Amino acid sequence: MSNAVRTMTPPRRASTPVKEVRKDVQGLRAIAVLLVVIAHLWPAWLPGGYVGVDVFFVISGFLMTKHLLSELGRTGGVRLGVFYLRRIKRLLPAALTVALVSLAAAWAFLPFPRWASLAWETIAATVYIENWVLADKSLDYSADNAAPSTVQHYWSLSVEEQFYLVWPLFLLGLFLLASRWRLPSVQVVRGGLAAAGVLSLFVCIHLTYTSPSEAYFVTQTRVWEFAAGGLIATVLTLPRSRAGAGLLVSGAAQWAGLGLILFAAVSFSDETPFPGAAALVPVVGTLLVLVSGPHHPGWSPNTLLAAPPAQFIGDISYSLYLWHWPLIVLAPSILNRDPALGDEVLLLAVAVALAALTKSLIEDPGRSVLLAGASFGRVLSATAASMAVVTAVAAAMIISVDSAERNHSAVLKDASRSACFGAGGLQPDRLCPDPLGPPATEVVTAAESYDTSPPECGRAADPLWIKKANRLIECDFAGGADPAATVWLVGDSHAEQWQAAIFELARQNRWMVKKSVVDGCPVVDVPRVAFKGKPTTSEAYRKKCLKWSGAVSERITAEKPELVFVSSFGVVEKIDDGSGRSQPEQYRDGFARRALPWAEAGIEVFVLRDTPLTIERTTAECLAQNPTAPRACSNDGADALPADPLAEAAKAARSDRIKVLDLSDHFCPDGRCYASIGGANVYYDDNHVTSTYMRSLAPALAADLEASRAG
């Protein structure tokens, strides 16, 4: 999951028409949506509040299966047109309204760098594939640095709509099989639901441990939760021989079920491998409440769930879920600061008010009045037109981004001609008037990405294959002639961010540069067990990092290049060799086992001391929010420059061929670290430097490199 917060889904309005709303189900919706909202507003209070999604998926599977089985039992079929029409009228008006309003608000209040991604995600949310978009992003390391969009929470709605699309066909197919084989339909339905559920649960557990971020979003890891609710529907809806549970048993089951849900919400966290087997806790809890039925003794928690406040929250839960997240995302930009506790309480109140209005003015009319009596085709056409409106607004936003990027490139090109541009503005002999003033443009585009490769780069003639992926790029700056030197750039993305400066030196010196980087992997022979405080639960990822660092070390030792540059985001990459020693000690020995063979082979090794942390202040977003006060977007160097474990390991190495290059003064010239220097945006995202600023550092890097090699 991308930087992105674990977003969750709320309980919804009833998914099937019933004569009497079950108050326990309505209360469960209230519990689920409150878990989600509180977890997003105050994550320390309910770190596992994301289990609200599991509560809802079980409820949805229960209600939808109950409705479809009832129709199949009565008629032997399903009126698919009527079914889909009800789903469209019930769910889409509110969802499209909130998406459109959120998009317009983001356009007005959020900084430019977030527009394009947000617009594309809004299109994905509109057509209900947001979960797959986020799953794809979760496989991209750089997505960890991306700010969440106003529609990120639509991922769970996408999963639900995909369920609604397939589930009627699945149950209809089971009924047809039962008829063809002349078997009791209830047995075939239960068998089909159980088989689908077990298969999905197996996939869920496996994928949670092999690709945990992806597992959270993809549809196949959630099917078992719908199937579990569906199985309960077969018990309560179809004929059964057993007698109903007594009130005593029902009350106990309801307490146990609610207890399991709340236990998961309180004890789970971002470090819990999820969904996986852990999702069984809230799922079983929800099943216990559902299977115990609507009847309960006075001491049951269902008494509280049936109270008017809980019923009110359950009634507006769908709209409350839709509104709360965009308000949270937009608040910092609207307030121009991080929300305080009072602001968050106000956000909650505004979300509840908007939800109540949306239910009254959009949800209910959409279900009962909008296109009343219209044919399925007419409703489908109206739906397509509504989706097209949201998509058109998002497309206009994307076009505006393209236009701004062209203007940005022109402004940067003009500004870069100045000797005071970028790091050049810090040179005392140039007498630059305001080196820490605002950037030439607040826009940071993809063209300034740290990982953009020039035309001189391509796949190496002798690739370095790690887990079926080539991890070696060659950049020929000698124009096809014999290079003056061969230089390697090795590490994670914090090594890759230095490439713009190194490539400038390579052009000047006719180098061949070989780049081998793996995002999130330090150059040590010790497993990486956590990143940014989150455990690395994927054993496959640990093995990939170790295999890569070992293979690249061997290749460098064998090829004997003149220079090797190494860097790493080591301050957030925890390693563990099982010894219990401190991180500096483990990095010292783990790096030495990789780098000492290079030095012994006569190679000069230079560790580039990592760049300052942004601490969410030295960012393009902060500059956009403080256009006349860029110095507000700065950090104390003591906070932004914690000890770099890889640089410290290099200093401790017993070799005069392993040295450290520290350019921190060019980021923090007076003890503070800045977001804008010499009219250039320093940072591309939450922790990587722009290629523009790195390129301006080439003269400083060349001077430090020459001095280090000479002395």
Side-chain angles (χ1 to χ4, degrees):
M1 270 179 303
S2 90
N3 201 23
V5 184
R6 274 184 175 168
T7 51
M8 304 147 270
T9 211
R12 280 202 177 168
R13 302 225 6 107
S15 297
T16 181
V18 291
K19 294 181 180 179
E20 180 180 354
V21 175
R22 276 184 55 169
K23 291 187 175 182
D24 57 330
V25 174
Q26 194 78 336
L28 273 178
R29 292 192 186 100
I31 291 292
V33 77
L34 288 177
L35 292 180
V36 171
V37 174
I38 292 173
H40 282 160
L41 282 171
W42 303 288
W45 296 3
L46 284 176
Y50 52 81
V51 299
V53 70
D54 308 277
V55 174
F56 172 67
F57 284 161
V58 175
I59 294 174
S60 189
F62 167 72
L63 293 174
M64 192 54 55
T65 304
K66 181 180 179 182
H67 167 76
L68 290 169
L69 291 181
S70 177
E71 183 173 354
L72 283 165
R74 293 193 317 270
T75 67
V78 176
R79 294 176 298 168
L80 293 175
V82 174
F83 173 84
Y84 292 130
L85 185 149
R86 285 175 177 168
R87 303 285 77 73
I88 289 170
K89 293 177 67 175
R90 181 183 298 277
L91 304 175
L92 265 65
L96 293 177
T97 297
V98 175
L100 184 59
V101 172
S102 299
L103 184 65
W107 205 343
F109 294 108
L110 293 184
F112 170 86
R114 295 174 65 176
W115 289 2
S117 176
L118 191 148
W120 281 115
E121 283 199 36
T122 299
I123 293 174
T126 299
V127 297
Y128 291 102
I129 59 170
E130 174 70 353
N131 66 312
W132 292 104
V133 170
L134 293 181
D136 183 64
K137 283 188 174 185
S138 74
L139 300 177
D140 178 6
Y141 163 86
S142 63
D144 284 344
N145 310 297
S149 75
T150 52
V151 292
Q152 181 172 295
H153 60 320
Y154 277 56
W155 78 268
S156 52
L157 308 184
S158 298
V159 172
E160 177 192 353
E161 296 309 317
Q162 293 157 26
F163 162 72
Y164 286 157
L165 184 65
V166 173
W167 209 243
L169 302 176
F170 177 60
L171 292 180
L172 180 59
L174 292 176
F175 257 74
L176 291 176
L177 284 176
S179 176
R180 183 180 181 85
W181 295 341
R182 296 184 179 181
L183 295 173
S185 59
V186 63
Q187 293 181 11
V188 175
V189 168
R190 287 173 179 165
L193 290 173
V198 169
L199 178 61
S200 172
L201 180 58
F202 174 80
V203 171
C204 176
I205 294 173
H206 173 71
L207 201 58
T208 297
Y209 283 93
T210 57
S211 186
S213 297
E214 180 188 14
Y216 190 79
F217 296 112
V218 295
T219 307
Q220 60 265 34
T221 61
R222 303 290 183 166
V223 170
W224 69 276
E225 299 177 344
F226 293 107
L231 279 171
I232 296 300
T234 68
V235 172
L236 299 180
T237 302
L238 299 178
R240 58 190 188 276
S241 58
R242 69 177 182 84
L247 287 182
L248 182 64
V249 175
S250 294
Q254 289 150 11
W255 271 116
L258 188 61
L260 286 173
I261 295 169
L262 296 180
F263 169 79
V266 172
S267 63
F268 288 4
S269 70
D270 284 344
E271 297 184 2
T272 304
F274 202 88
L280 284 165
V281 177
V283 167
V284 171
T286 307
L287 293 176
L288 284 172
V289 176
L290 292 175
V291 79
S292 62
H295 304 294
H296 57 86
W299 47 267
S300 164
N302 283 11
T303 300
L304 297 176
L305 297 183
Q311 295 297 297
F312 169 73
I313 296 298
D315 203 34
I316 66 167
S317 57
Y318 179 43
S319 290
L320 177 57
Y321 178 71
L322 291 174
W323 280 114
H324 88 283
W325 181 250
L327 289 175
I328 291 173
V329 171
L330 292 165
S333 293
I334 294 174
L335 297 171
N336 200 24
R337 57 177 170 80
D338 291 333
L341 178 60
D343 301 317
E344 292 165 340
V345 172
L346 180 60
L347 280 177
L348 178 57
V350 171
V352 170
L354 286 173
L357 287 173
T358 302
K359 179 186 178 298
S360 176
L361 301 178
I362 297 175
E363 271 196 74
D364 291 344
R367 185 172 61 251
S368 58
V369 178
L370 182 65
L371 297 174
S375 65
F376 175 71
R378 186 181 172 193
V379 172
L380 196 61
S381 297
T383 300
S386 301
M387 289 180 167
V389 169
V390 180
T391 301
V393 174
M397 195 171 184
I398 293 169
I399 292 171
S400 74
V401 169
D402 292 338
S403 175
E405 286 183 344
R406 287 192 295 271
N407 293 336
H408 162 79
S409 296
V411 170
L412 268 188
K413 185 177 181 180
D414 183 63
S416 63
R417 295 190 180 100
S418 169
C420 290
F421 183 71
L426 299 177
Q427 297 299 316
D429 59 332
R430 297 181 183 178
L431 302 177
C432 300
D434 189 12
L436 301 178
T441 170
E442 69 178 35
V443 175
V444 177
T445 71
E448 292 192 82
S449 175
Y450 60 92
D451 59 357
T452 301
S453 292
E456 292 90 345
C457 296
R459 197 174 101 171
D462 184 14
L464 182 65
W465 295 102
I466 304 295
K467 297 288 186 179
K468 299 182 180 180
N470 174 41
R471 298 296 180 179
L472 184 59
I473 300 297
E474 286 183 349
C475 303
D476 183 3
F477 294 98
D482 289 338
T486 299
V487 176
W488 279 66
L489 173 61
V490 180
D492 57 18
S493 66
H494 274 229
E496 190 171 30
Q497 70 178 345
W498 287 95
Q499 70 178 16
I502 292 172
F503 288 166
E504 286 299 303
L505 302 190
R507 287 189 182 93
Q508 297 166 17
N509 295 284
R510 298 177 53 253
W511 288 346
M512 167 71 78
V513 178
K514 294 190 175 186
K515 181 179 72 171
S516 184
V517 296
V518 178
D519 295 332
C521 292
V523 187
V524 294
D525 73 342
V526 181
R528 191 202 83 174
V529 297
F531 183 78
K532 291 186 177 181
K534 296 181 180 179
T536 304
T537 57
S538 171
E539 185 63 27
Y541 197 95
R542 296 187 192 186
K543 290 180 179 178
K544 180 181 76 172
C545 285
L546 286 174
K547 185 176 181 180
W548 164 76
S549 66
V552 78
S553 179
E554 292 174 2
R555 178 73 72 89
I556 290 172
T557 303
E559 292 192 6
K560 297 181 175 61
E562 283 76 10
L563 298 173
V564 174
F565 291 103
V566 188
S567 194
S568 173
F569 200 13
V571 71
V572 300
E573 292 170 342
K574 182 180 179 181
I575 61 175
D576 187 5
D577 61 7
S579 67
R581 296 181 301 161
S582 68
Q583 287 293 292
E585 291 175 304
Q586 292 190 47
Y587 263 96
R588 179 196 65 203
D589 295 343
F591 178 65
R593 288 190 288 270
R594 293 297 191 226
L596 280 177
W598 305 342
E600 292 166 357
I603 304 166
E604 291 186 274
V605 182
F606 293 92
V607 173
L608 296 160
R609 195 254 187 257
D610 198 18
T611 50
L613 301 174
T614 64
I615 319 179
E616 300 183 358
R617 290 298 299 166
T618 51
T619 62
E621 285 193 21
C622 179
L623 290 171
Q625 295 166 5
N626 298 274
T628 61
R631 284 177 172 80
C633 301
S634 64
N635 292 307
D636 190 319
D639 299 323
L641 289 166
D644 176 0
L646 201 66
E648 296 303 312
K651 293 175 183 177
R654 296 181 298 277
S655 173
D656 58 3
R657 291 185 178 272
I658 300 177
K659 302 176 182 178
V660 176
L661 297 179
D662 187 350
L663 277 72
S664 298
D665 286 349
H666 298 276
F667 293 89
C668 316
D670 55 4
R672 292 195 67 80
C673 308
Y674 296 91
S676 174
I677 297 177
N681 280 283
V682 176
Y683 289 94
Y684 176 72
D685 55 26
D686 186 61
N687 62 81
H688 297 98
V689 177
T690 61
S691 59
T692 300
Y693 191 73
M694 272 297 185
R695 198 172 295 114
S696 76
L697 278 173
L701 177 60
D704 282 15
L705 177 62
E706 183 179 354
S708 182
R709 298 183 78 181

